[in-house]
Amino acid sequence: MSTELPPVAPEVLAEAVESLTARLRKKLDDATAGCADAATRETDGSVTFRFGEDAVVTLRPGPAGTVTEAGQATCTCLLAPRCLHRAAALGAAPLADAAPPEPEPVPESAGSAADGTERAPAAASAEAEAEGASDEPAESVPALTAAQLGAAAALWHAAAEALAAGVTAGGAVVQAELLRAAHTARLAGLPRAEAAALRVVRGLRAARERRTAHRLGDLTGSFRELLHTAGVLASGTAGPALTGTSRRAYTPGGSLRVQGLCREPVLSATGYGGVVTHLLAPDGSRYSISDVRPGGLARARGAGRAFVALGGATLDHAGLARGGLRIVGATVSPEGRLGAGRGVKATPLPGAAWTDGPAAPLFARPAAEAVAELLAAPAEAAETETALIGCDVTVVGAAGDHLLVREAVPHAPLLRLLPAHPHPELPHTENLRRIASYPGLRLRVLGRPDLDRAATLRPVAVGPVPGAQYTLRLPEDWLGRADLGYDRLQGEHFPAPAAATEAAGEAGPVPAADAPDPLADAPLWRVRRLLETGVAGGRRAVAEAARGTAAQAAYGPLRRAGLTAAADLATALAAEADRRPRDAFGRLADPSPDGYAWAWLAAATHLAAAERSLVAASWTATPNGATPAAS
C-alpha cells in the first residue's frame, strides 16, 4: 500500500526540475512513475524514497505538513541536490496550495477576516478557501506594474508551450515551467493567474496518471481560463478584477439576524473537506459559514455536525441549517461569508420552515427567471457559479445519469437533476435515485444551476410542496427540508404507493428521448472535439486532424446551422496548427507557439459563449413546453 505523501510547494518542485541537466530531464517522467508506491513514512513524520542501494531521498514537511523549502528535501547521492532522485520524489508528491490556509484564525479587529474564501457563499467558494485564500484586506492596483506585465508575459509563454505540448508531452519539465511562471506571477501580485496555472498543472497530472476523476473538458476549461487571464494581463489592458486578490477584506456588519437555509458538504480535490451552511437574512441577503480543513472525505462527512465556530454559538452545523442566529458585531466578506472575530457574539434562534420567513421568496418565481439573472451577470462573477435557486417540480423519472423533473409553471421545459457531489460515499446520488423511483412526486428543490449543461440543476436540499398530496413526508424536527449531502431519505419519508399511479399520470412522464438538449443537438461538439484533441495530443494532433478533405467537410454542418463564426475559427485553428514554416536548412522559421495559442483561445472563447447562449435557451419556457432549438 502506498504512503500518503506530503504536499510540495510549487516553487520547490520547479527549482528542483530546473537544476537538472538536459540529460536528466529526459529521464524525469520515468523516474517519477512509481515513486509514491515505494515511499515509506518514518516515525518522525518524514517520508523516505529509496533509489537503489546508495540513494535515499527524505522529505521532511514543516509544521503545516507541507514541504515549503528546498532544504526539506534531501538526497544521499553524490549529485544532490541537483539529482534526479530528489526531483522525482518531489514530483511524485501532490502539489501544495500556493498559500496554505490557516484554520479559522482569530482576527485582531472587526475588520479582519475569520476564514477567507475564494468565493462565497457556496461549496465552490469553500473549496477555493481550502486552496489557499487568506483573510486580510487587499488594495486594488489601478494599473499593472512592469513586474506584473513581465510575469504575465512569462506565464502566457509557459501556458502556450504547455498547450502546444498537450497531455501526451506535458510531463514534469513542462509542468515545472508552468509552476515557475505561476510562482513569478504570485510574487508580482497576480493571484488569479497563479491559481489558473496551478489548476492546469493539476489537470495535466491527473490526465497523465489517468485518474478516474479526470475530465478532459475540465482541463480544456482550465487552459482557456489560464490563456485568457495571462493574455489579457500581458497586454496591459486588464483591470483589478483580472489580477485577482489573494486576501479577502472583512468589514463590520453590525447586528444581523439570519436563518438557516441548508448545509452541504465540501470536498476539495486537494485533500480538504468540510461543510458550508447557507443563511438568509430577513431582507433576502445571503450569508454563509464554512468549516473547511485538511481531512478529505472523512472530514466532509463528519463536519455536518461540527460546532459552529462563531461568537460562542452553541449550535452545530446541523442545528444551524434548521435554526438561526442573532449576531452582534458581525464581520462580513464582500461575498457574504461571516467572520469569527473576537468581538463577534452569536445567540441561537428558533428555526423556520422554507414556507415562512426569508426563504419563501426563493420559491416564488420560476427558475428560468433566476437563471436568466445569473446568465446576465459577467461570466467571471462568483454568483454565476455559487448562487442557489429554488423551484417546485414534479418528478418525471430517471433518464441515464440524471433525474428528469418538470417545474410547476405553465409550459415549463424539462429540467435535469444531477448530484451536487457525485462521490459515492456521500448520499446525494443515493437520495436522487430513491426520489426517481416515485414518478409524479411533488418536490420543492433548492439547488445550484449547472451553467455548463442544458437546463440542469444540482440540488443541495429538498422538501415537500405545501398543499400537495403526493409529496415528501419529513420528520417535524427537519423543519420541512432534507439536506441531500447529509440526510438520507428512507421509505418512510415518501407517500404511500397507493397514490403513485394517479400522480404519475398527472405528471405525464416523458421518455428521455423527448427531453431535448440543445448542447448535444448542436454541431458545436465538432469544435469542442477539436479543442480537446489539442489539449490531449497537443498541436501535432490538431494538425493531423486538419489534413485531408474529411477534416474540411467536418465544419459543413456548422455552416449549415448558421454557426459560421465557429466554423471559421475552427478552420483557422487547424490551419495554424499545421503551419510550421522552415528555412533552407530545415529549421523552424517561427518556433513560437503564440500564434497557435491565440487561435486556440479564440475558438475556445467563442465556443464557451455559444454554449452559454444555448444553456440560457434551454431554461426558457415555450408554448408547448419544449426546449427552444438553437438558431
Side-chain angles (χ1 to χ4, degrees):
M1 184 175 64
S2 61
T3 300
E4 184 177 352
L5 304 181
V8 173
E11 60 270 22
V12 174
L13 174 57
E15 182 181 358
V17 175
E18 288 179 353
S19 67
L20 297 179
T21 64
R23 181 179 62 87
L24 292 180
R25 289 188 183 188
K26 295 178 180 179
K27 301 180 179 181
L28 183 55
D29 288 332
D30 292 336
T32 303
C35 275
D37 295 331
T40 303
R41 181 168 291 277
E42 307 297 338
T43 56
D44 62 353
S46 63
V47 177
T48 59
F49 305 77
R50 183 169 293 279
F51 295 85
E53 298 181 357
D54 302 326
V56 177
V57 177
T58 303
L59 301 183
R60 294 184 175 86
T66 302
V67 177
T68 58
E69 299 178 2
Q72 294 173 338
T74 60
C75 181
T76 59
C77 79
L78 296 177
L79 293 178
R82 299 180 178 181
C83 63
L84 180 65
H85 316 115
R86 180 173 174 272
L90 290 170
L95 198 63
D97 300 315
E102 298 179 3
E104 297 296 338
V106 179
E108 295 295 332
S109 65
S112 302
D115 53 69
T117 62
E118 176 89 12
R119 292 173 303 199
S125 65
E127 288 189 20
E129 169 188 350
E131 294 180 3
S134 55
D135 338 308
E136 298 175 3
E139 296 182 359
S140 299
V141 180
L144 297 183
T145 64
Q148 288 176 322
L149 292 174
L155 186 56
W156 163 267
H157 180 73
E161 292 283 2
L163 178 67
V167 172
T168 55
V173 175
V174 172
Q175 294 171 27
E177 293 293 334
L178 269 175
L179 294 178
R180 170 60 69 189
H183 181 59
T184 303
R186 174 189 177 189
L187 296 179
L190 302 175
R192 176 169 175 173
E194 178 206 19
L198 295 184
R199 283 194 294 271
V200 168
V201 173
R202 290 193 177 102
L204 287 173
R205 282 189 167 194
R208 290 178 63 83
E209 295 170 7
R210 299 184 178 181
R211 299 177 193 168
T212 55
H214 164 69
R215 290 182 64 250
L216 189 57
D218 292 338
L219 181 54
T220 302
S222 297
F223 262 112
R224 183 185 70 243
E225 170 67 14
L226 173 58
L227 289 169
H228 168 74
T229 303
V232 177
L233 287 171
S235 70
T237 60
L242 202 59
T243 62
T245 53
S246 58
R247 300 180 182 273
R248 290 293 182 252
Y250 276 58
T251 58
S255 297
L256 294 176
R257 182 186 180 98
V258 293
Q259 289 288 335
L261 187 61
C262 65
R263 60 185 164 145
E264 61 174 319
V266 176
L267 189 58
S268 169
T270 53
Y272 288 79
V275 63
V276 58
T277 298
H278 302 277
L279 309 165
L280 278 176
D283 62 356
S285 300
R286 304 192 184 196
Y287 301 93
S288 65
I289 297 176
S290 68
D291 182 2
V292 182
R293 304 170 190 267
L297 177 64
R299 184 153 207 300
R301 296 173 63 180
R305 291 196 171 275
F307 279 98
V308 177
L310 181 68
T314 58
L315 284 174
D316 60 13
H317 280 271
L320 179 58
R322 295 185 174 94
L325 285 177
R326 179 183 288 110
I327 307 173
V328 178
T331 59
V332 187
S333 76
E335 298 86 1
R337 190 166 300 278
L338 297 176
R342 292 179 180 175
V344 178
K345 303 296 180 183
T347 305
L349 295 174
W354 279 353
T355 54
D356 304 321
L362 292 177
F363 306 93
R365 62 172 178 170
E369 292 184 10
V371 172
E373 186 176 295
L374 293 177
L375 289 170
E380 64 271 12
E383 293 77 6
T384 61
E385 298 181 4
T386 62
L388 297 176
I389 68 171
C391 58
D392 292 344
V393 300
T394 301
V395 174
V396 174
D401 63 344
H402 53 266
L403 170 63
L404 285 178
V405 299
R406 191 183 294 279
E407 193 177 1
V409 296
H411 311 304
L414 286 172
L415 304 183
R416 299 163 176 82
L417 301 188
L418 285 176
H421 297 273
H423 197 288
E425 296 298 324
L426 296 175
H428 292 90
T429 302
E430 178 184 343
N431 283 330
L432 286 186
R433 186 180 298 116
R434 185 176 289 272
I435 291 173
S437 62
Y438 289 83
L441 183 73
R442 297 293 305 281
L443 199 65
R444 175 157 282 188
V445 177
L446 184 70
R448 186 170 294 108
D450 188 338
L451 301 183
D452 293 328
R453 296 172 179 260
T456 299
L457 193 66
R458 294 187 180 270
V460 298
V462 296
V465 174
Q469 295 296 320
Y470 192 60
T471 188
L472 292 175
R473 305 285 189 263
L474 300 180
E476 290 186 7
D477 57 348
W478 285 18
L479 286 182
R481 68 260 207 182
D483 298 327
L484 295 179
Y486 290 104
D487 301 320
R488 293 186 181 271
L489 296 175
Q490 307 294 335
E492 61 187 13
H493 299 145
F494 291 88
T501 303
E502 180 180 353
E506 295 176 357
V510 179
D514 291 341
D517 186 341
L519 281 182
D521 297 340
L524 286 172
W525 63 267
R526 299 171 186 272
V527 182
R528 190 182 312 112
R529 184 172 64 181
L530 183 66
L531 294 172
E532 293 180 355
T533 296
V535 171
R539 178 173 184 166
R540 180 176 299 180
V542 176
E544 290 293 336
R547 296 181 183 134
T549 56
Q552 300 300 325
Y555 305 124
L558 287 169
R559 300 185 187 281
R560 289 192 292 272
L563 301 169
T564 54
D568 292 341
L569 290 170
T571 302
L573 170 61
E576 181 62 32
D578 201 28
R579 189 183 66 84
R580 307 287 280 178
R582 297 181 182 273
D583 60 18
F585 298 97
R587 297 171 300 191
L588 285 175
D590 183 16
S592 173
D594 287 357
Y596 170 74
W598 281 117
W600 188 95
L601 178 59
T605 302
H606 182 273
L607 175 66
E611 290 182 336
R612 191 179 181 91
S613 297
L614 290 174
V615 168
S618 69
W619 286 88
T620 304
T622 59
N624 58 3
T627 302
S631 59

